[in-house]
């Protein structure tokens, strides 16, 4: 199975997120934002959702709100985004 560099790094940041390693997750998110493939629509959507979840968990309401706004019309992420934005 093939995974590109962005996906490999994203999976590591997701693992950091679910392991509760906030520092590694924050650093990973920041690094991914500068990755050459980060602006591809599919990657940008995944990154926005993970950023929203990270900010939500960290209690950063304004940043979480902004990140969820980015995915509120995404067919797979809209339910979670709308629940956060309207809840």
């Amino acid at each position: 199975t093939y995974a590109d560099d962005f996906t490999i790094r994203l999976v590591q940041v997701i693992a950091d997120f679910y392991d509760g390693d906030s520092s590694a997750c924050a650093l990973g998110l920041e690094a991914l934002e500068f990755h050459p493939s980060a602006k591809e629509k599919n990657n940008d959507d995944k990154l926005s959702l993970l950023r929203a979840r990270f900010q939500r968990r960290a209690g950063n309401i304004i940043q979480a709100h902004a990140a969820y706004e980015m995915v509120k019309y995404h067919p797979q992420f809209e339910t979670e985004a709308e629940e956060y934005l309207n809840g």
Side-chain angles (χ1 to χ4, degrees):
T1 303
Y2 172 78
D4 62 29
D5 184 62
F6 181 88
T7 301
I8 292 167
R9 291 172 186 255
L10 178 66
V11 168
Q12 180 58 56
V13 176
I14 291 169
D16 293 337
F17 175 80
Y18 284 106
D19 286 343
D21 190 341
S22 297
S23 296
C25 187
L27 290 172
L29 282 169
E30 185 176 345
L32 282 173
E33 290 175 8
F34 293 101
H35 192 282
S37 299
K39 293 305 172 197
E40 292 176 16
K41 180 68 173 140
N42 189 37
N43 292 338
D44 188 46
D45 288 342
K46 293 174 195 172
L47 195 52
S48 292
L49 180 64
L50 183 56
R51 190 180 309 109
R53 290 176 177 174
F54 176 78
Q55 296 297 346
R56 181 181 187 173
R57 180 184 283 177
N60 300 325
I61 297 167
I62 294 170
Q63 293 91 337
H65 190 275
Y68 274 119
E69 282 286 337
M70 301 296 291
V71 295
K72 72 178 180 180
Y73 298 115
H74 189 281
Q76 292 178 317
F77 307 147
E78 67 184 343
T79 301
E80 179 179 336
E82 287 297 323
E83 286 174 358
Y84 180 78
L85 294 170
N86 298 323

